[in-house]
DNA sequence: AGGTCACGCTTAACCGGGTAAGTGACCCGA
DNA sequence: TCGGGTCACTTACCCGGTTAAGCGTGACCT
């Protein structure tokens, strides 16, 4: 294992100074084309890769972005959402030769502390914030810190921060009208954390749409996105006297759990109960019947978030430095879990 | 947003030199207790956090480890395994104030290139390698590179690298004997990638155990761990003339898909078909019936892997610098998806 | 009293790459 | 022929934290 090769080594080999090598490698003026080619050739031959720490120290940029996830290991593991998001983020970042630093935290305080440390240490150039809440402390915190950040979700009112989001209200209307057209009049919804912004948005979208349709019942129950909670709520719903003929779940995991409960109670899906899931992961196609769900390209979403962050960091050509980006809303993919309500 | 505070600022405020501040902050001898306390107080008051790049540059350590995942976004998303593993890894790392750098790659070549770059850039101090294959190019590659690494899985023969693994053979025997005791004589197995080391180990463990028992059939079909493949193979198995009475799946995702296929074909689980899954994620408890599965604590496993890596990096008290670590094998958790075979 | 040693601190160099300022050499126009 | 300008490169210092070496002071020993 030989010593790493530094620009000093290249300079020596090429018979020029460190400075010339630096200019040559960074494509800056200051060296002749002949010398540049020679230096590049030598650098390639010696397998030169610049030391990240040294570069960071002088240009003061980490060439990395951070993401702190505040969800339990179990939720993170089972929800395909996060890994797909990360994979999309990662693809964009590595295309721009940025690194991704990941940390899992317990509490908001811990999360804020991570941001503070990352920024003070200059370990990251910016962060992506998931699970945006309706009145999120983190937004002001990072803005005060001066830490470049993008909110993954929104829209964020009076934002001092750009957000990448999609319209959640339209798909809600779409689902409800679809179920209504199928003849469903008693509909329930198992929602996610009620403190999250998109939950609030969906809440009111459902309420508004329900009011406009002649529904007998449209109730919402908040949960924590876990299968256990999803199953528990579904079990209660399906055991009630006037049970709903359709249930909408705010994520795929709860929907699968709900389907399990229906099986357990001998309630046939879709003949006796229709099920709709948000977030069309492969999970929705695993079950029988396959779940009708709201499809969105989460990888692409992650990619857009990363793009937005790179843009405010300034690593990107900032022609389209749009402050907030709205993505294509989720599309309803009808599958086997929805059917006309029985008379 | 004021300028970052550096040790020079603290030195000025305390009326001492940069060197003294450094000694004080790092708990090294060279300053009196009085001065040390004073410096620490001033540093705390000014909110000092050392610049990571500067420290890395002088001590040449990145205080970060890397993990490159070579799986498609969809597999990563849906398999709870990875996120649980990462969460365990992360917990240990952040306890030692190490960062985790994540990258997703397509090919082995890309993965090797990532390792080379990370190490050359000194972006990481070591890496964790998942999905160890039976004749894995990566092992020699990183060893040649001199990049500290730990294999997540094993055991690796003639290893130049430590590995953290658990006995896969014993649980295989346990499953097969359990199913045999339940009266099953025609058993099938839907396995994972055949190039992976643990797949090979399980292959021979099943073969050996099957030979010792009076089984009518014990066939294995390799797949790619996706639900689609799992469903396809299960569909073929259950449509055959002499269909198995029990199927063992090498991961939870395929098991859930298999259960879906059984429902689809009107085959009752567990009365007509028993199902066993490896890797007991919450997914296995979501379905109805809940899946009998092999439980192991994946977070804890990840934590041990990270511990091993920190130990060879030298960041840990290396009392127990065991070269390879064997963990507690998976335990069978019987649930509703297994029952006595029908006569 | 003189020598020695430990302590507490400063100085200065170093890690490796970036970059402003400086220096010849050369060309060009007046 | 000389001033002015450009080109090609070197010099030197910067980033911020670490650390070997140096140095003055006081204590302790003989």
């Amino acid at each position: 294992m030989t010593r790493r090769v530094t620009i000093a080594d290249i300079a020596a080999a090429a018979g020029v100074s460190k400075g010339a090598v630096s200019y040559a490698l960074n494509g800056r003026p200051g060296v002749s084309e002949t010398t540049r080619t020679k230096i590049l050739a030598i650098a390639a031959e010696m397998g030169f890769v610049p030391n990240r720490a040294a570069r960071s120290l002088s240009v003061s940029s980490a060439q990395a972005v951070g993401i702190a996830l505040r969800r339990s290991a179990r939720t993170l593991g089972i929800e395909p959402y996060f890994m797909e998001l990360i994979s999309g983020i990662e693809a964009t970042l590595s295309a721009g030769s940025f690194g991704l630093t990941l940390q899992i935290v317990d509490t908001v305080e811990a999360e804020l502390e991570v941001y503070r440390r990352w920024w003070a240490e200059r370990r990251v150039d910016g962060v992506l914030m998931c699970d945006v809440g309706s009145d999120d402390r983190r937004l002001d915190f990072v803005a005060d810190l001066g830490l470049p950040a993008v909110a993954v979700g929104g829209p964020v009112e009076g934002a001092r921060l750009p957000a990448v989001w999609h319209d959640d209200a339209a798909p809600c209307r779409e689902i409800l009208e679809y179920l209504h057209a199928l003849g469903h009049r008693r509909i329930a919804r198992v929602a996610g954390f009620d403190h999250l912004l998109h939950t609030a948005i969906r809440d009111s979208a459902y309420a508004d749409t329900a009011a406009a349709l002649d529904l007998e019942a449209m109730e919402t129950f908040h949960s924590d996105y876990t299968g256990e909670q999803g199953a528990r709520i579904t079990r209660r719903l399906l055991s009630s006297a006037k049970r709903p003929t359709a249930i909408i779940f705010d994520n795929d995991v709860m929907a699968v759990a709900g389907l399990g409960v229906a099986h357990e109670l001998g309630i046939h899906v879709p003949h006796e109960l229709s099920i709709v899931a948000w977030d069309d992961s492969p999970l929705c196609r695993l079950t029988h019947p396959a779940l009708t769900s709201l499809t969105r390209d989460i990888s692409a979403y992650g990619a857009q978030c990363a793009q937005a962050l790179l843009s405010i960091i300034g690593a990107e050509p900032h022609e389209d430095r749009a402050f907030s980006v709205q993505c294509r809303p989720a599309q309803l993919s009808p599958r086997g879990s929805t059917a006309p309500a029985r008379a």
Side-chain angles (χ1 to χ4, degrees), chain A:
Chain A
M1 184 174 48
T2 59
R3 212 173 55 76
R4 295 193 61 257
V5 4
T6 72
I7 51 167
D9 301 329
I10 299 179
V16 293
S17 69
K18 274 175 45 175
V21 175
S22 179
Y23 289 137
L25 292 174
N26 295 308
R28 307 168 110 271
V31 278
S32 66
E33 270 321 304
T34 346
T35 321
R36 187 189 301 278
T37 359
K38 185 169 118 199
I39 291 176
L40 289 178
I42 294 178
E45 189 197 344
M46 297 176 81
F48 171 75
V49 180
N51 179 315
R52 175 74 46 194
R55 170 170 272 158
S56 296
L57 186 54
S58 33
V59 303
S60 83
S61 103
Q63 290 277 311
V65 316
I67 180 164
L69 297 175
R70 181 162 33 92
R71 287 282 188 102
S72 72
R74 298 192 44 188
T75 319
L76 281 177
I78 199 178
E79 274 209 80
Y81 176 82
F82 287 101
M83 261 298 185
E84 291 193 23
L85 186 74
I86 287 176
S87 132
I89 291 169
E90 224 288 310
T92 300
L93 291 183
S94 58
S97 75
F98 265 66
L100 176 66
T101 295
L102 185 76
Q103 179 133 7
I104 293 168
V105 292
D106 293 328
T107 61
V108 205
E109 286 72 30
E111 185 174 343
L112 298 182
E113 185 49 37
V114 166
Y115 293 143
R116 188 207 306 281
R117 190 167 43 75
W118 275 350
W119 187 231
E121 284 183 342
R122 284 291 187 281
R123 202 193 256 279
V124 301
D125 297 318
V127 296
L128 290 165
M129 282 190 298
C130 296
D131 283 339
V132 182
S134 3
D135 185 24
D136 205 313
R137 294 167 55 184
R138 299 176 300 165
L139 301 177
D140 270 331
F141 184 87
V142 298
D144 289 344
L145 221 48
L147 168 60
V150 166
V152 181
V156 184
E157 325 229 338
R160 302 165 58 194
L161 238 53
V164 180
W165 56 289
H166 22 217
D167 182 10
D168 265 26
C172 293
R173 281 193 294 277
E174 192 178 350
I175 297 176
L176 224 46
E177 283 163 5
Y178 169 68
L179 291 175
H180 182 261
L182 284 175
H184 294 278
R185 294 297 177 270
R186 282 197 311 282
I187 301 175
R189 167 166 165 257
V190 182
F193 288 118
D194 59 356
H195 58 82
L196 295 186
L197 183 55
H198 70 256
T199 305
I201 293 173
R202 294 181 195 176
D203 283 355
S204 57
Y206 282 116
D208 293 352
T209 315
L213 300 170
D214 57 324
L215 294 181
E216 201 176 306
M218 168 74 224
E219 272 191 297
T220 289
F221 301 88
H222 293 276
S223 83
D224 62 357
Y225 284 125
T226 63
E228 285 81 2
Q229 283 287 316
R232 209 175 51 76
I233 297 174
T234 308
R235 205 170 281 120
R236 215 176 52 214
L237 280 170
L238 295 182
S239 313
S240 68
K242 285 220 140 215
R243 69 170 194 237
T245 63
I247 307 183
I248 303 164
F249 292 89
D250 260 21
N251 75 349
D252 39 17
V253 174
M254 295 192 297
V256 172
L259 179 63
V261 169
H263 276 144
E264 168 194 323
L265 296 176
I267 297 176
H268 192 273
V269 175
H271 295 328
E272 297 174 280
L273 176 72
S274 285
I275 288 181
V276 178
W278 272 84
D279 278 347
D280 180 24
S281 71
L283 208 52
C284 296
R285 262 157 287 172
L286 242 54
T287 55
H288 181 79
L291 299 177
T292 292
S293 52
L294 282 160
T295 308
R296 47 179 181 166
D297 188 341
I298 300 172
S299 271
Y301 181 45
Q304 280 196 277
C305 296
Q307 205 73 46
L309 183 54
L310 291 185
S311 143
I312 60 168
I313 287 174
E316 282 291 295
H318 30 265
E319 5 143 323
D320 55 350
R321 214 186 252 214
F323 197 64
S324 279
V325 185
Q326 186 176 356
C327 307
R328 191 159 157 271
Q331 307 287 316
L332 188 66
S333 304
R335 298 211 186 83
S337 68
T338 42
R342 282 218 289 215

